[in-house]
PDB file of all heavy atoms in Angstrom:
ATOM      1  N   ALA A 244     110.725  95.922 118.213  1.00 98.00           N
ATOM      2  CA  ALA A 244     110.864  95.295 119.533  1.00 98.00           C
ATOM      3  C   ALA A 244     111.368  93.870 119.374  1.00 98.00           C
ATOM      4  O   ALA A 244     111.410  93.343 118.255  1.00 98.00           O
ATOM      5  CB  ALA A 244     109.530  95.308 120.257  1.00 98.00           C
ATOM      6  N   LEU A 245     111.728  93.250 120.500  1.00 98.00           N
ATOM      7  CA  LEU A 245     112.428  91.958 120.466  1.00 98.00           C
ATOM      8  C   LEU A 245     113.573  92.088 119.458  1.00 98.00           C
ATOM      9  O   LEU A 245     113.658  91.357 118.478  1.00 98.00           O
ATOM     10  CB  LEU A 245     111.483  90.809 120.108  1.00 98.00           C
ATOM     11  CG  LEU A 245     110.321  90.562 121.081  1.00 98.00           C
ATOM     12  CD1 LEU A 245     109.488  89.362 120.670  1.00 98.00           C
ATOM     13  CD2 LEU A 245     110.821  90.380 122.517  1.00 98.00           C
ATOM     14  N   VAL A 246     114.451  93.040 119.762  1.00 98.00           N
ATOM     15  CA  VAL A 246     115.479  93.442 118.794  1.00 98.00           C
ATOM     16  C   VAL A 246     116.795  93.681 119.542  1.00 98.00           C
ATOM     17  O   VAL A 246     116.782  94.158 120.677  1.00 98.00           O
ATOM     18  CB  VAL A 246     114.988  94.722 118.045  1.00 98.00           C
ATOM     19  CG1 VAL A 246     114.798  95.905 118.983  1.00 98.00           C
ATOM     20  CG2 VAL A 246     115.914  95.089 116.909  1.00 98.00           C
ATOM     21  N   PRO A 247     117.943  93.346 118.936  1.00 98.00           N
ATOM     22  CA  PRO A 247     119.231  93.590 119.600  1.00 98.00           C
ATOM     23  C   PRO A 247     119.521  95.088 119.739  1.00 98.00           C
ATOM     24  O   PRO A 247     119.055  95.902 118.933  1.00 98.00           O
ATOM     25  CB  PRO A 247     120.252  92.942 118.664  1.00 98.00           C
ATOM     26  CG  PRO A 247     119.477  91.958 117.845  1.00 98.00           C
ATOM     27  CD  PRO A 247     118.111  92.576 117.696  1.00 98.00           C
ATOM     28  N   PHE A 248     120.295  95.423 120.767  1.00 98.00           N
ATOM     29  CA  PHE A 248     120.724  96.810 120.977  1.00 98.00           C
ATOM     30  C   PHE A 248     122.045  97.063 120.256  1.00 98.00           C
ATOM     31  O   PHE A 248     122.860  96.146 120.109  1.00 98.00           O
ATOM     32  CB  PHE A 248     120.971  97.071 122.471  1.00 98.00           C
ATOM     33  CG  PHE A 248     119.719  97.113 123.303  1.00 98.00           C
ATOM     34  CD1 PHE A 248     119.508  96.165 124.297  1.00 98.00           C
ATOM     35  CD2 PHE A 248     118.771  98.107 123.108  1.00 98.00           C
ATOM     36  CE1 PHE A 248     118.356  96.203 125.078  1.00 98.00           C
ATOM     37  CE2 PHE A 248     117.620  98.152 123.888  1.00 98.00           C
ATOM     38  CZ  PHE A 248     117.411  97.203 124.878  1.00 98.00           C
ATOM     39  N   THR A 249     122.246  98.327 119.872  1.00 97.00           N
ATOM     40  CA  THR A 249     123.553  98.720 119.346  1.00 97.00           C
ATOM     41  C   THR A 249     124.270  99.549 120.409  1.00 97.00           C
ATOM     42  O   THR A 249     123.643 100.314 121.142  1.00 97.00           O
ATOM     43  CB  THR A 249     123.404  99.555 118.058  1.00 97.00           C
ATOM     44  OG1 THR A 249     122.518 100.651 118.308  1.00 97.00           O
ATOM     45  CG2 THR A 249     122.845  98.709 116.921  1.00 97.00           C
ATOM     46  N   LEU A 250     125.574  99.366 120.482  1.00 95.00           N
ATOM     47  CA  LEU A 250     126.410 100.124 121.424  1.00 95.00           C
ATOM     48  C   LEU A 250     127.539 100.758 120.634  1.00 95.00           C
ATOM     49  O   LEU A 250     128.327 100.043 120.018  1.00 95.00           O
ATOM     50  CB  LEU A 250     127.068  99.189 122.437  1.00 95.00           C
ATOM     51  CG  LEU A 250     126.315  98.683 123.660  1.00 95.00           C
ATOM     52  CD1 LEU A 250     127.272  97.828 124.489  1.00 95.00           C
ATOM     53  CD2 LEU A 250     125.749  99.822 124.497  1.00 95.00           C
ATOM     54  N   ASN A 251     127.591 102.073 120.638  1.00 89.00           N
ATOM     55  CA  ASN A 251     128.737 102.732 120.002  1.00 89.00           C
ATOM     56  C   ASN A 251     129.528 103.413 121.109  1.00 89.00           C
ATOM     57  O   ASN A 251     129.377 103.059 122.272  1.00 89.00           O
ATOM     58  CB  ASN A 251     128.258 103.742 118.949  1.00 89.00           C
ATOM     59  CG  ASN A 251     127.544 103.030 117.809  1.00 89.00           C
ATOM     60  OD1 ASN A 251     128.026 102.015 117.322  1.00 89.00           O
ATOM     61  ND2 ASN A 251     126.391 103.546 117.416  1.00 89.00           N
ATOM     62  N   GLY A 252     130.331 104.393 120.776  1.00 84.00           N
ATOM     63  CA  GLY A 252     131.031 105.193 121.773  1.00 84.00           C
ATOM     64  C   GLY A 252     131.850 104.351 122.738  1.00 84.00           C
ATOM     65  O   GLY A 252     132.345 103.269 122.399  1.00 84.00           O
ATOM     66  N   GLY A 253     131.927 104.848 123.973  1.00 84.00           N
ATOM     67  CA  GLY A 253     132.797 104.219 124.977  1.00 84.00           C
ATOM     68  C   GLY A 253     132.417 102.778 125.272  1.00 84.00           C
ATOM     69  O   GLY A 253     133.267 101.887 125.294  1.00 84.00           O
ATOM     70  N   GLN A 254     131.131 102.538 125.478  1.00 88.00           N
ATOM     71  CA  GLN A 254     130.718 101.169 125.820  1.00 88.00           C
ATOM     72  C   GLN A 254     130.916 100.233 124.639  1.00 88.00           C
ATOM     73  O   GLN A 254     131.251  99.067 124.809  1.00 88.00           O
ATOM     74  CB  GLN A 254     129.255 101.167 126.276  1.00 88.00           C
ATOM     75  CG  GLN A 254     129.072 101.824 127.639  1.00 88.00           C
ATOM     76  CD  GLN A 254     127.702 101.541 128.239  1.00 88.00           C
ATOM     77  OE1 GLN A 254     126.688 101.684 127.562  1.00 88.00           O
ATOM     78  NE2 GLN A 254     127.684 101.170 129.504  1.00 88.00           N
ATOM     79  N   GLY A 255     130.728 100.768 123.437  1.00 89.00           N
ATOM     80  CA  GLY A 255     130.971  99.954 122.245  1.00 89.00           C
ATOM     81  C   GLY A 255     132.423  99.520 122.192  1.00 89.00           C
ATOM     82  O   GLY A 255     132.731  98.354 121.904  1.00 89.00           O
ATOM     83  N   LYS A 256     133.314 100.475 122.496  1.00 86.00           N
ATOM     84  CA  LYS A 256     134.759 100.168 122.461  1.00 86.00           C
ATOM     85  C   LYS A 256     135.103  99.160 123.562  1.00 86.00           C
ATOM     86  O   LYS A 256     135.829  98.197 123.349  1.00 86.00           O
ATOM     87  CB  LYS A 256     135.574 101.442 122.704  1.00 86.00           C
ATOM     88  CG  LYS A 256     135.854 102.220 121.458  1.00 86.00           C
ATOM     89  CD  LYS A 256     137.087 103.118 121.677  1.00 86.00           C
ATOM     90  CE  LYS A 256     137.105 104.183 120.598  1.00 86.00           C
ATOM     91  NZ  LYS A 256     136.640 105.492 121.056  1.00 86.00           N
ATOM     92  N   ALA A 257     134.548  99.424 124.747  1.00 85.00           N
ATOM     93  CA  ALA A 257     134.918  98.597 125.903  1.00 85.00           C
ATOM     94  C   ALA A 257     134.441  97.154 125.754  1.00 85.00           C
ATOM     95  O   ALA A 257     135.112  96.228 126.203  1.00 85.00           O
ATOM     96  CB  ALA A 257     134.335  99.205 127.181  1.00 85.00           C
ATOM     97  N   PHE A 258     133.286  96.955 125.138  1.00 90.00           N
ATOM     98  CA  PHE A 258     132.712  95.605 125.101  1.00 90.00           C
ATOM     99  C   PHE A 258     132.716  94.971 123.714  1.00 90.00           C
ATOM    100  O   PHE A 258     132.393  93.796 123.580  1.00 90.00           O
ATOM    101  CB  PHE A 258     131.295  95.633 125.684  1.00 90.00           C
ATOM    102  CG  PHE A 258     131.278  95.949 127.154  1.00 90.00           C
ATOM    103  CD1 PHE A 258     131.036  97.237 127.598  1.00 90.00           C
ATOM    104  CD2 PHE A 258     131.544  94.958 128.088  1.00 90.00           C
ATOM    105  CE1 PHE A 258     131.052  97.539 128.955  1.00 90.00           C
ATOM    106  CE2 PHE A 258     131.554  95.247 129.442  1.00 90.00           C
ATOM    107  CZ  PHE A 258     131.310  96.542 129.877  1.00 90.00           C
ATOM    108  N   GLY A 259     133.087  95.754 122.690  1.00 87.00           N
ATOM    109  CA  GLY A 259     133.069  95.244 121.320  1.00 87.00           C
ATOM    110  C   GLY A 259     133.927  94.005 121.149  1.00 87.00           C
ATOM    111  O   GLY A 259     133.605  93.088 120.389  1.00 87.00           O
ATOM    112  N   ALA A 260     135.041  93.968 121.899  1.00 90.00           N
ATOM    113  CA  ALA A 260     135.966  92.837 121.759  1.00 90.00           C
ATOM    114  C   ALA A 260     135.373  91.553 122.329  1.00 90.00           C
ATOM    115  O   ALA A 260     135.941  90.470 122.147  1.00 90.00           O
ATOM    116  CB  ALA A 260     137.283  93.164 122.467  1.00 90.00           C
ATOM    117  N   LEU A 261     134.258  91.660 123.046  1.00 95.00           N
ATOM    118  CA  LEU A 261     133.665  90.463 123.660  1.00 95.00           C
ATOM    119  C   LEU A 261     132.680  89.758 122.727  1.00 95.00           C
ATOM    120  O   LEU A 261     131.990  88.819 123.143  1.00 95.00           O
ATOM    121  CB  LEU A 261     132.926  90.847 124.949  1.00 95.00           C
ATOM    122  CG  LEU A 261     133.778  91.416 126.075  1.00 95.00           C
ATOM    123  CD1 LEU A 261     132.901  91.693 127.300  1.00 95.00           C
ATOM    124  CD2 LEU A 261     134.888  90.460 126.451  1.00 95.00           C
ATOM    125  N   SER A 262     132.606  90.211 121.478  1.00 95.00           N
ATOM    126  CA  SER A 262     131.662  89.615 120.525  1.00 95.00           C
ATOM    127  C   SER A 262     131.742  88.083 120.571  1.00 95.00           C
ATOM    128  O   SER A 262     132.825  87.511 120.498  1.00 95.00           O
ATOM    129  CB  SER A 262     132.013  90.125 119.123  1.00 95.00           C
ATOM    130  OG  SER A 262     131.172  89.501 118.193  1.00 95.00           O
ATOM    131  N   GLY A 263     130.586  87.460 120.755  1.00 96.00           N
ATOM    132  CA  GLY A 263     130.538  85.993 120.829  1.00 96.00           C
ATOM    133  C   GLY A 263     130.440  85.466 122.252  1.00 96.00           C
ATOM    134  O   GLY A 263     130.067  84.317 122.468  1.00 96.00           O
ATOM    135  N   VAL A 264     130.742  86.321 123.250  1.00 97.00           N
ATOM    136  CA  VAL A 264     130.655  85.877 124.649  1.00 97.00           C
ATOM    137  C   VAL A 264     129.188  85.877 125.081  1.00 97.00           C
ATOM    138  O   VAL A 264     128.461  86.849 124.844  1.00 97.00           O
ATOM    139  CB  VAL A 264     131.483  86.812 125.573  1.00 97.00           C
ATOM    140  CG1 VAL A 264     131.195  86.518 127.045  1.00 97.00           C
ATOM    141  CG2 VAL A 264     132.961  86.679 125.267  1.00 97.00           C
ATOM    142  N   GLY A 265     128.744  84.799 125.707  1.00 97.00           N
ATOM    143  CA  GLY A 265     127.354  84.716 126.154  1.00 97.00           C
ATOM    144  C   GLY A 265     127.271  84.187 127.578  1.00 97.00           C
ATOM    145  O   GLY A 265     128.155  83.459 128.030  1.00 97.00           O
ATOM    146  N   LEU A 266     126.231  84.571 128.298  1.00 97.00           N
ATOM    147  CA  LEU A 266     126.020  84.070 129.675  1.00 97.00           C
ATOM    148  C   LEU A 266     124.583  84.359 130.094  1.00 97.00           C
ATOM    149  O   LEU A 266     123.892  85.133 129.431  1.00 97.00           O
ATOM    150  CB  LEU A 266     126.998  84.723 130.650  1.00 97.00           C
ATOM    151  CG  LEU A 266     126.783  86.196 131.033  1.00 97.00           C
ATOM    152  CD1 LEU A 266     127.560  86.510 132.305  1.00 97.00           C
ATOM    153  CD2 LEU A 266     127.217  87.138 129.917  1.00 97.00           C
ATOM    154  N   ASP A 267     124.152  83.737 131.177  1.00 97.00           N
ATOM    155  CA  ASP A 267     122.822  84.017 131.717  1.00 97.00           C
ATOM    156  C   ASP A 267     122.903  85.211 132.655  1.00 97.00           C
ATOM    157  O   ASP A 267     123.811  85.280 133.494  1.00 97.00           O
ATOM    158  CB  ASP A 267     122.284  82.806 132.492  1.00 97.00           C
ATOM    159  CG  ASP A 267     121.835  81.708 131.544  1.00 97.00           C
ATOM    160  OD1 ASP A 267     121.513  82.020 130.381  1.00 97.00           O
ATOM    161  OD2 ASP A 267     121.817  80.538 131.956  1.00 97.00           O
ATOM    162  N   VAL A 268     121.972  86.137 132.508  1.00 98.00           N
ATOM    163  CA  VAL A 268     121.961  87.348 133.338  1.00 98.00           C
ATOM    164  C   VAL A 268     120.518  87.636 133.752  1.00 98.00           C
ATOM    165  O   VAL A 268     119.592  86.974 133.300  1.00 98.00           O
ATOM    166  CB  VAL A 268     122.496  88.577 132.553  1.00 98.00           C
ATOM    167  CG1 VAL A 268     123.915  88.362 132.088  1.00 98.00           C
ATOM    168  CG2 VAL A 268     121.568  88.942 131.384  1.00 98.00           C
ATOM    169  N   GLU A 269     120.374  88.665 134.588  1.00 98.00           N
ATOM    170  CA  GLU A 269     119.054  89.263 134.769  1.00 98.00           C
ATOM    171  C   GLU A 269     119.159  90.676 134.201  1.00 98.00           C
ATOM    172  O   GLU A 269     120.034  91.431 134.618  1.00 98.00           O
ATOM    173  CB  GLU A 269     118.663  89.324 136.245  1.00 98.00           C
ATOM    174  CG  GLU A 269     117.256  89.883 136.435  1.00 98.00           C
ATOM    175  CD  GLU A 269     116.892  90.002 137.910  1.00 98.00           C
ATOM    176  OE1 GLU A 269     116.616  88.974 138.547  1.00 98.00           O
ATOM    177  OE2 GLU A 269     116.897  91.147 138.408  1.00 98.00           O
ATOM    178  N   ALA A 270     118.306  90.980 133.217  1.00 98.00           N
ATOM    179  CA  ALA A 270     118.344  92.312 132.597  1.00 98.00           C
ATOM    180  C   ALA A 270     117.093  93.073 133.000  1.00 98.00           C
ATOM    181  O   ALA A 270     116.004  92.500 133.047  1.00 98.00           O
ATOM    182  CB  ALA A 270     118.413  92.180 131.083  1.00 98.00           C
ATOM    183  N   ARG A 271     117.274  94.363 133.304  1.00 98.00           N
ATOM    184  CA  ARG A 271     116.139  95.183 133.746  1.00 98.00           C
ATOM    185  C   ARG A 271     116.045  96.481 132.943  1.00 98.00           C
ATOM    186  O   ARG A 271     117.078  97.056 132.586  1.00 98.00           O
ATOM    187  CB  ARG A 271     116.320  95.568 135.223  1.00 98.00           C
ATOM    188  CG  ARG A 271     115.695  94.577 136.186  1.00 98.00           C
ATOM    189  CD  ARG A 271     116.193  94.825 137.588  1.00 98.00           C
ATOM    190  NE  ARG A 271     117.550  94.298 137.731  1.00 98.00           N
ATOM    191  CZ  ARG A 271     118.452  94.759 138.578  1.00 98.00           C
ATOM    192  NH1 ARG A 271     118.185  95.776 139.340  1.00 98.00           N
ATOM    193  NH2 ARG A 271     119.641  94.202 138.637  1.00 98.00           N
ATOM    194  N   CYS A 272     114.849  96.915 132.685  1.00 97.00           N
ATOM    195  CA  CYS A 272     114.645  98.213 132.036  1.00 97.00           C
ATOM    196  C   CYS A 272     113.228  98.671 132.345  1.00 97.00           C
ATOM    197  O   CYS A 272     112.261  97.928 132.104  1.00 97.00           O
ATOM    198  CB  CYS A 272     114.838  98.075 130.527  1.00 97.00           C
ATOM    199  SG  CYS A 272     114.728  99.646 129.656  1.00 97.00           S
ATOM    200  N   ASN A 273     113.107  99.862 132.908  1.00 95.00           N
ATOM    201  CA  ASN A 273     111.790 100.436 133.189  1.00 95.00           C
ATOM    202  C   ASN A 273     110.833  99.462 133.880  1.00 95.00           C
ATOM    203  O   ASN A 273     109.751  99.171 133.370  1.00 95.00           O
ATOM    204  CB  ASN A 273     111.156 100.943 131.882  1.00 95.00           C
ATOM    205  CG  ASN A 273     111.902 102.137 131.345  1.00 95.00           C
ATOM    206  OD1 ASN A 273     112.443 102.920 132.119  1.00 95.00           O
ATOM    207  ND2 ASN A 273     111.976 102.261 130.038  1.00 95.00           N
ATOM    208  N   ASP A 274     111.250  98.920 134.990  1.00 91.00           N
ATOM    209  CA  ASP A 274     110.417  98.030 135.822  1.00 91.00           C
ATOM    210  C   ASP A 274     110.201  96.636 135.242  1.00 91.00           C
ATOM    211  O   ASP A 274     109.535  95.811 135.870  1.00 91.00           O
ATOM    212  CB  ASP A 274     109.028  98.636 136.118  1.00 91.00           C
ATOM    213  CG  ASP A 274     109.147  99.903 136.935  1.00 91.00           C
ATOM    214  OD1 ASP A 274     110.154 100.028 137.649  1.00 91.00           O
ATOM    215  OD2 ASP A 274     108.249 100.769 136.829  1.00 91.00           O
ATOM    216  N   ALA A 275     110.686  96.360 134.049  1.00 96.00           N
ATOM    217  CA  ALA A 275     110.560  94.998 133.503  1.00 96.00           C
ATOM    218  C   ALA A 275     111.895  94.289 133.720  1.00 96.00           C
ATOM    219  O   ALA A 275     112.955  94.913 133.587  1.00 96.00           O
ATOM    220  CB  ALA A 275     110.251  95.049 132.015  1.00 96.00           C
ATOM    221  N   TYR A 276     111.858  93.034 134.112  1.00 95.00           N
ATOM    222  CA  TYR A 276     113.127  92.317 134.240  1.00 95.00           C
ATOM    223  C   TYR A 276     112.971  90.881 133.748  1.00 95.00           C
ATOM    224  O   TYR A 276     111.896  90.292 133.838  1.00 95.00           O
ATOM    225  CB  TYR A 276     113.668  92.354 135.675  1.00 95.00           C
ATOM    226  CG  TYR A 276     112.792  91.668 136.680  1.00 95.00           C
ATOM    227  CD1 TYR A 276     113.014  90.334 137.031  1.00 95.00           C
ATOM    228  CD2 TYR A 276     111.748  92.343 137.277  1.00 95.00           C
ATOM    229  CE1 TYR A 276     112.196  89.697 137.946  1.00 95.00           C
ATOM    230  CE2 TYR A 276     110.925  91.709 138.194  1.00 95.00           C
ATOM    231  CZ  TYR A 276     111.164  90.393 138.524  1.00 95.00           C
ATOM    232  OH  TYR A 276     110.343  89.768 139.418  1.00 95.00           O
ATOM    233  N   PHE A 277     114.034  90.358 133.192  1.00 97.00           N
ATOM    234  CA  PHE A 277     114.016  89.022 132.587  1.00 97.00           C
ATOM    235  C   PHE A 277     115.294  88.281 132.935  1.00 97.00           C
ATOM    236  O   PHE A 277     116.390  88.830 132.799  1.00 97.00           O
ATOM    237  CB  PHE A 277     113.908  89.139 131.061  1.00 97.00           C
ATOM    238  CG  PHE A 277     112.610  89.750 130.608  1.00 97.00           C
ATOM    239  CD1 PHE A 277     112.493  91.126 130.436  1.00 97.00           C
ATOM    240  CD2 PHE A 277     111.496  88.954 130.382  1.00 97.00           C
ATOM    241  CE1 PHE A 277     111.290  91.693 130.046  1.00 97.00           C
ATOM    242  CE2 PHE A 277     110.291  89.514 129.989  1.00 97.00           C
ATOM    243  CZ  PHE A 277     110.191  90.883 129.822  1.00 97.00           C
ATOM    244  N   ASP A 278     115.145  87.039 133.381  1.00 97.00           N
ATOM    245  CA  ASP A 278     116.284  86.133 133.574  1.00 97.00           C
ATOM    246  C   ASP A 278     116.432  85.344 132.296  1.00 97.00           C
ATOM    247  O   ASP A 278     115.541  84.548 131.974  1.00 97.00           O
ATOM    248  CB  ASP A 278     115.992  85.131 134.704  1.00 97.00           C
ATOM    249  CG  ASP A 278     116.080  85.777 136.061  1.00 97.00           C
ATOM    250  OD1 ASP A 278     117.020  86.544 136.285  1.00 97.00           O
ATOM    251  OD2 ASP A 278     115.175  85.518 136.882  1.00 97.00           O
TER     252      ASP A 278
END
Side-chain angles (χ1 to χ4, degrees):
L245 298 183
V246 63
F248 289 116
T249 53
L250 279 182
N251 295 315
Q254 289 193 312
K256 273 202 197 102
F258 293 97
L261 296 182
S262 176
V264 170
L266 73 162
D267 285 336
V268 300
E269 183 183 285
R271 269 166 283 153
C272 184
N273 292 328
D274 296 334
Y276 63 94
F277 295 90
D278 285 316

